[in-house]
């Protein structure tokens, strides 16, 4: 049975299956009230980095580089501060839950302003 599970897991990875998504936050980043998992928004921001080493660093721990991604300057790698290569990009993405529709609307209007407030 263990062999079958390992084989299924390996086939899923070969087929390009993505790992499980990060759990939703439990507190609304706008209101501070308990988040409703039925009210969500997807946040995504893509920036260019300078090299595959920076890309690997980001991929290993994307949450650690959120501030860098938000402060990214066009033409500059947000990790090393060297000149970025437009052909090498990284994307920070996160599904965010909210307490109510008004909080979701406020987030959607200015997601970069509120994404740092998202906590587990």
């Amino acid at each position: 049975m263990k062999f079958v599970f390992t084989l299924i897991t390996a086939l899923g990875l070969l087929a390009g299956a993505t790992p499980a998504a990060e759990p939703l936050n439990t507190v609304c980043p706008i209101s501070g009230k308990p988040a409703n998992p039925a009210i969500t928004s997807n946040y995504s921001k893509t920036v260019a980095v300078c090299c595959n080493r920076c890309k690997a660093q980001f991929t290993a721990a994307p949450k650690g580089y959120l501030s860098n991604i938000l402060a990214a300057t066009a033409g500059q790698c947000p990790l090393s501060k060297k000149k970025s290569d437009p052909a090498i990009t990284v994307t920070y993405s996160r599904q965010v839950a909210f307490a109510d529709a008004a909080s979701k609307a406020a987030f959607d209007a200015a997601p970069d302003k509120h994404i740092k407030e998202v906590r587990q």
Side-chain angles (χ1 to χ4, degrees):
M1 186 63 149
K2 183 177 180 182
F3 172 76
V4 172
F5 178 76
T6 303
L7 181 61
I8 291 170
T9 303
L11 289 174
L13 292 174
L14 289 174
T18 56
E22 184 174 341
L24 288 173
N25 50 298
T26 57
V27 176
C28 175
I30 305 298
S31 69
K33 297 176 183 175
N36 178 348
I39 304 171
T40 63
S41 186
N42 291 312
Y43 175 86
S44 183
K45 185 165 183 125
T46 301
V47 296
V49 293
C50 65
C51 62
N52 285 322
R53 182 174 163 225
C54 283
K55 184 174 184 169
Q57 281 181 277
F58 174 85
T59 302
K63 285 173 79 175
Y65 296 105
L66 176 59
S67 292
N68 298 52
I69 297 298
L70 292 172
T73 302
Q76 184 182 47
C77 174
L79 280 71
S80 71
K81 306 302 183 211
K82 296 178 184 175
K83 182 180 178 188
S84 62
D85 180 344
I88 305 172
T89 61
V90 297
T91 301
Y92 180 88
S93 59
R94 174 80 196 259
Q95 186 175 22
V96 183
F98 304 94
D100 51 51
S103 294
K104 179 184 180 319
F107 181 89
D108 288 344
D112 285 349
K113 176 181 175 184
H114 299 292
I115 190 66
K116 289 197 284 187
E117 302 304 319
V118 178
R119 304 279 184 257
Q120 283 302 92

